[in-house]
Amino acid sequence: MYAGKLDSTVYPLAVQPAEQGTNAVPAETGPSRELEVDHLSVSARIQRPEQGCRALAVALVRHRQAEASRVPRCRQTAFDRLELLDERHWAERTITPVAKVEQRRGVSEETLREFFREMLLIRRFEEKVEERFRAGELPGFLHVAIGQEAVAVGVCRALGDGDVIASTHRAHGHTLAKGTHPNELMAELYGKLEGCSHGYGGSMHLYDIERGNLGANAVVGGGLPAIVGAALAFKFRGQPRVGVAFFGDGATNIGTFHESLNLAQLWTVPAVFVLEDNQWAESTPESQHSPIRDLSKRAEAFGMKAMKVDGQDVEEVHRVAGRAVKHARDGKGPVFLHVETKRLVGHYIGDPQIYRDKEELRELQETSDPIQLLREKLGLSDEEFDSVDREVQELVDASVEFAKNGTDPRPEDALKNVYA
Ligand SMILES: Cc1ncc(C[n+]2csc(CCOP(=O)(O)OP(=O)(O)O)c2C)c(N)n1
Ligand SMILES: [Mg+2]
């Protein structure tokens, strides 16, 4: 985690004290400010330090215990003034990631088996989410990404620990693949304090700053501007880090998509824009929401490098994502990664899909399931499959237990960390 570095003094989009809510960190002056500002080149420095560090301040507070030695002294004092969430949450936060996020070179069979395990973990997790939702245990509105697991795993496995992602309304897979423990994710879906967003967020507002997850987004296209901002900050600081925005084909019709690609290319920021093209936006087929069939052309309009890949083949996704990430990390500018994938279920849990041809869907489920395809590629025997399956199902069952035993947020904390 980069707590010490995410200081508002260095962050190009910092908040002015007058704009901050009651929980906001006071503005600071002093040696750390001068020191940090020196990291920015004069030409790169943005002269508007008055916006946007509020979410970062929250992230910093979250990690103040673990990172105390790396946080400037004046910042620690500011933290001490903050009352946030129940301290017990942090004392107990000892979970290590299940899905690995370290960078890999080449894809050995062993690595492919790890991809398989992670994809199966995501699948079983989402099946359990559906089961618990239907049992009335989970509040809100839930979208699963069954059929799209290879995108989450293939892309996130091409990232390093310092890289960040922003997700969509279909965020469970991205979140697990970026390293959030199933316990923390399930606890969030149950609205518990132990959840990755402390129970404030739910399925469409999953955050895990420590693991480089800048959040899911209920607003379609909401993650792209955040990633352009993060990538711009990486560029200013000279850090070899990359920001990745996931979004769907429907999002390519949204204004923030076009604005983000435009500025990302103009500023040659280290970002990768991952289009998860499942050919549906809710119940609207792509042919009815976009006048062009090849959505990569939208990136070409900005002069952005575009790559295409079959999203049902995790090995391919990983390989091409690795090239895209390298291109961005090498300072050559952003990349548009067009991933063709399949939504093998409804738009949301409970969607009757009356708008979809049942026979076509059944055929897709039989021929395009990325987990089944990888199982075949690996030649896994039934015993091998069952062994991995048992292991991940145990993790998922344990996450439900963890979540059910979690702490309900206190009503008096409802407005804490709310900066609207
Ligand atoms: C700005 C905005 N417009 C509309 C919606 C309603 N909405 C939620 S999901 C969705 C479809 C998005 O389609 P796509 O981007 O292809 O993602 P997918 O659901 O296929 O993963 C829409 C229109 C929204 N949440 N935000
Ligand atoms: Mg879509």
Side-chain angles (χ1 to χ4, degrees):
M1 177 53 194
Y2 312 93
K5 291 180 183 163
L6 292 181
D7 190 279
S8 61
T9 55
V10 257
Y11 209 74
L13 307 173
V15 174
Q16 210 155 47
E19 293 182 334
Q20 293 176 338
T22 48
N23 278 335
V25 179
E28 297 159 12
T29 54
S32 68
R33 182 183 181 94
E34 283 154 28
L35 187 75
E36 298 283 8
V37 169
D38 283 348
H39 289 310
L40 301 177
S41 78
V42 174
S43 62
R45 201 176 302 157
I46 286 185
Q47 300 301 324
R48 296 184 59 214
E50 67 272 14
Q51 301 171 5
C53 77
R54 285 174 273 206
L56 293 169
V58 174
L60 289 162
V61 172
R62 285 182 48 175
H63 302 293
R64 66 192 187 278
Q65 291 177 334
E67 297 288 325
S69 60
R70 290 168 56 187
V71 177
R73 198 154 38 85
C74 56
R75 174 62 74 187
Q76 285 181 40
T77 309
F79 286 153
D80 292 343
R81 281 184 227 135
L82 292 173
E83 244 186 70
L84 211 64
L85 294 166
D86 194 321
E87 286 301 323
R88 282 181 305 138
H89 182 189
W90 297 109
E92 289 169 5
R93 200 174 195 275
T94 55
I95 294 163
T96 50
V98 167
K100 295 176 184 147
V101 294
E102 75 268 30
Q103 183 128 28
R104 301 262 161 176
R105 299 226 168 267
V107 184
S108 62
E109 181 169 329
E110 190 197 344
T111 303
L112 260 191
R113 282 176 182 256
E114 288 174 9
F115 290 0
F116 180 80
R117 177 188 168 279
E118 290 179 16
M119 287 163 61
L120 195 56
L121 172 64
I122 292 169
R123 173 71 57 91
R124 296 300 184 225
F125 185 93
E126 294 211 298
E127 287 170 348
K128 182 61 77 177
V129 164
E130 173 153 8
E131 176 198 300
R132 295 296 90 207
F133 179 80
R134 288 181 187 278
E137 289 178 10
L138 303 179
F141 197 67
L142 299 171
H143 309 84
V144 291
I146 288 178
Q148 302 183 197
E149 295 88 348
V151 189
V153 171
V155 170
C156 288
R157 276 303 202 101
L159 302 178
D161 281 345
D163 299 332
V164 298
I165 65 162
S167 181
T168 67
H169 51 286
R170 211 176 289 290
H172 309 148
H174 304 147
T175 305
L176 288 170
K178 193 70 176 76
T180 297
H181 195 286
N183 287 3
E184 292 184 27
L185 179 49
M186 194 63 88
E188 186 58 38
L189 302 184
Y190 273 82
K192 302 291 183 173
L193 210 55
E194 289 80 2
C196 57
S197 305
H198 312 303
Y200 281 77
S203 176
M204 288 188 269
H205 303 94
L206 303 169
Y207 286 79
D208 195 341
I209 303 294
E210 189 181 3
R211 302 201 171 84
N213 185 343
L214 304 189
N217 281 277
V219 176
V220 169
L224 287 93
I227 284 302
V228 176
L232 182 63
F234 299 156
K235 181 175 174 172
F236 282 170
R237 296 174 189 167
Q239 294 175 329
R241 298 166 64 186
V242 174
V244 172
F246 290 98
F247 54 94
D249 46 293
T252 66
N253 301 313
I254 297 270
T256 53
F257 167 85
H258 296 272
E259 294 172 37
S260 299
L261 263 65
N262 184 55
L263 290 179
Q265 185 65 31
L266 181 69
W267 295 336
T268 56
V269 301
V272 177
F273 296 97
V274 179
L275 164 58
E276 289 189 84
D277 188 356
N278 60 15
Q279 289 98 42
W280 289 99
E282 297 194 343
S283 55
T284 309
E286 203 164 296
S287 58
Q288 286 177 29
H289 75 64
S290 167
I292 57 170
R293 298 286 55 80
D294 180 359
L295 295 180
S296 316
K297 293 212 183 307
R298 295 200 155 164
E300 284 172 23
F302 300 103
M304 190 178 291
K305 185 177 179 61
M307 298 179 184
K308 244 187 214 182
V309 67
D310 172 5
Q312 306 314 92
D313 182 339
V314 70
E315 190 173 7
E316 272 301 282
V317 174
H318 179 259
R319 185 181 67 78
V320 179
R323 283 179 48 217
V325 168
K326 182 175 182 327
H327 182 94
R329 203 187 304 286
D330 287 350
K332 294 179 182 163
V335 178
F336 186 85
L337 184 58
H338 185 171
V339 188
E340 286 171 345
T341 187
K342 310 288 178 207
R343 195 189 84 198
L344 297 179
V345 291
H347 170 64
Y348 59 90
I349 296 180
D351 179 0
Q353 298 193 80
I354 48 171
Y355 50 85
R356 217 168 167 184
D357 185 293
K358 294 279 174 297
E359 192 49 39
E360 217 173 273
L361 177 59
R362 203 180 51 76
E363 198 181 319
L364 268 187
Q365 288 166 340
E366 278 172 13
T367 57
S368 300
D369 182 333
I371 295 177
Q372 189 56 30
L373 292 172
L374 184 53
R375 178 182 177 170
E376 284 162 18
K377 187 187 255 191
L378 284 166
L380 293 184
S381 65
D382 287 350
E383 292 73 40
E384 285 174 309
F385 178 86
D386 289 346
S387 153
V388 182
D389 200 18
R390 254 196 316 276
E391 190 237 328
V392 298
Q393 295 216 36
E394 276 169 20
L395 275 169
V396 170
D397 289 343
S399 76
V400 174
E401 269 313 293
F402 177 85
K404 285 184 174 174
N405 291 323
T407 316
D408 287 323
R410 296 179 303 205
E412 58 269 33
D413 286 340
L415 296 181
K416 286 183 181 169
N417 306 320
V418 176
Y419 296 99

